[in-house]
Amino acid sequence: MIGDIKRSDFETWVECCKPPLVEHPLHAIAALMTSAAFTHPVDQIEIFGALADATAATKDHAERAKLITDRLPWVIEGKERTALPRALWDEYWKIIERSPANFEGELDLTLSVVALGKYYDRRIIDECEESLLQFDSVRNLITLPEIRLKTTDLENHAQDSLATDLLNMLTANGYDIEVIDADTVLLEGNYPAQNRTNRRILQLHDVWHLVGGYDFTPAGEVAISGFQLAQFGQNYSTRFLATVASQSAVHTPDYMPLLLDVMFDGWRHGRAAKQLMDAPWHQLIADPISQIRKDYGLDPIASEAVDQMEALTAAITAAA
């Protein structure tokens, strides 16, 4: 069981893309996100766009369901069932059954979600490739030479540069420019979009934190996942958001509306900005963050939901 829902029912909702939006609204939204991650990655932008707009428009479950189905009419009848690998479901449930409080920091959850990719079948991988190629920035990126930043590239820049800000942040927190070794994320076969973007975002994630104004907090990580999904269709972000939404539906349903607002504020921020994946970041690191924001029309995220979630997290931590 996940709350009062049978796992088998949730799996059916996901695999058939037909969740009960009125009867079980929170679980249904989590199921649609999970469909976007695993059964129909090609539709992930359409799905998240519909969820974001409907959630912003109303908190009434029936009204929200109508707005979603107006945008995604196939949800009413569902789609032909797409069975997921049993091993993928088993690993997914291992994550969901753990309370978010039982993970040892963000990296523990991140690595658990990353590991789900080991259970993807060829169909999922093919659809993830197709979803990435929907973005002009990704199609352009794979035509460009690959330039990977090193820590030494961040040294000896002006004090007000992105490079210095990034180096100071990495040093202060004991971080590395790549939290996961980029050479370990390559897929076998002809997947240029996934192999290139998987490697690149490992270097750009912290860069986008700084340029986008996302704090290095749980709320910041959730919001920037919405930003990254909106920016270039990253499937890791989709499965991360689906996972934390499903966890919340099970363990903290009262806080799930706030969590959704955090996700979708990041999503809207990413959709409103210019596509950043193919920007020449190896050159931009010499510029002040303020100049980069001006050049790319990117204001730092302003989200009451993020602020509320950070205050709530701080209060829970202080009381523990």
Side-chain angles (χ1 to χ4, degrees):
M1 300 287 287
I2 49 169
D4 59 345
I5 306 298
K6 293 180 180 179
R7 289 186 180 184
S8 58
D9 289 340
F10 189 88
E11 291 178 10
T12 299
W13 302 345
V14 170
E15 294 183 348
C16 296
C17 297
K18 189 182 177 182
L21 288 164
V22 176
E23 296 84 355
H24 299 286
L26 298 184
H27 287 85
I29 288 176
L32 268 179
M33 291 183 177
T34 309
S35 293
F38 301 140
T39 61
H40 292 281
V42 171
D43 297 327
Q44 61 184 358
I45 300 302
E46 183 182 15
I47 291 171
F48 269 78
L51 293 177
D53 290 349
T55 301
T58 179
K59 300 301 182 185
D60 180 86
H61 296 318
E63 291 177 1
R64 186 166 59 191
K66 184 178 186 308
L67 291 173
I68 292 170
T69 53
D70 284 347
R71 290 273 292 277
L72 308 174
W74 43 262
V75 171
I76 297 174
E77 297 298 329
K79 294 189 177 187
E80 182 178 354
R81 186 160 192 159
T82 302
L84 297 179
R86 187 66 250 167
L88 175 58
W89 273 124
D90 291 344
E91 293 303 312
Y92 191 66
W93 292 127
K94 287 180 184 178
I95 298 174
I96 302 307
E97 70 184 7
R98 292 175 62 187
S99 169
N102 291 336
F103 285 87
E104 297 178 3
E106 293 300 318
L107 183 56
D108 185 14
L109 178 57
T110 294
L111 294 176
S112 296
V113 175
V114 167
L116 292 174
K118 295 189 297 184
Y119 305 96
Y120 278 20
D121 58 20
R122 193 57 54 185
R123 179 201 62 80
I124 302 175
I125 296 171
D126 287 345
E127 287 210 19
C128 289
E129 186 77 4
E130 185 178 348
S131 69
L132 287 166
L133 291 171
Q134 294 172 350
F135 288 78
D136 293 341
S137 61
V138 174
R139 294 196 301 273
N140 184 50
L141 177 68
I142 60 180
T143 70
L144 301 174
E146 182 173 13
I147 300 175
R148 294 167 64 180
L149 291 170
K150 303 181 296 294
T151 301
T152 53
D153 296 327
L154 306 178
E155 298 172 351
N156 303 317
H157 284 274
Q159 284 299 306
D160 66 344
S161 65
L162 169 60
T164 299
D165 289 341
L166 179 59
L167 182 61
N168 289 342
M169 185 280 295
L170 294 172
T171 302
N173 292 282
Y175 293 165
D176 187 84
I177 198 167
E178 288 180 339
V179 67
I180 299 171
D181 184 354
D183 292 326
T184 67
V185 298
L186 295 177
L187 297 170
E188 294 183 2
N190 185 30
Y191 298 107
Q194 287 176 89
N195 284 335
R196 190 62 183 276
T197 57
N198 285 346
R199 289 160 69 92
R200 187 162 176 79
I201 195 58
L202 289 176
Q203 295 207 319
L204 293 185
H205 179 78
D206 286 340
V207 170
W208 287 5
H209 260 287
L210 296 175
V211 175
Y214 292 87
D215 289 336
F216 295 87
T217 60
E221 295 299 341
V222 171
I224 201 171
S225 294
F227 181 89
Q228 289 179 175
L229 171 58
Q231 273 283 304
F232 69 101
Q234 185 194 30
N235 182 261
Y236 165 76
S237 290
T238 316
R239 77 178 95 139
F240 176 82
L241 295 173
T243 300
V244 296
S246 297
Q247 280 185 320
S248 184
V250 173
H251 298 285
T252 56
D254 290 345
Y255 298 111
M256 189 170 170
L258 176 61
L259 179 70
L260 294 176
D261 288 342
V262 171
M263 292 179 183
F264 295 136
D265 281 354
W267 159 269
R268 281 183 282 270
H269 190 216
R271 294 298 282 176
K274 292 181 181 179
Q275 293 185 25
L276 303 173
M277 181 53 75
D278 60 341
W281 290 100
H282 60 289
Q283 298 172 348
L284 295 177
I285 60 170
D287 295 336
I289 289 176
S290 59
Q291 185 63 49
I292 298 170
R293 287 173 175 168
K294 180 179 179 182
D295 291 344
Y296 283 84
L298 178 65
D299 293 326
I301 186 171
S303 168
E304 291 185 6
V306 170
D307 293 342
Q308 291 174 18
M309 185 172 173
E310 289 183 342
L312 179 62
T313 301
I316 292 173
T317 301

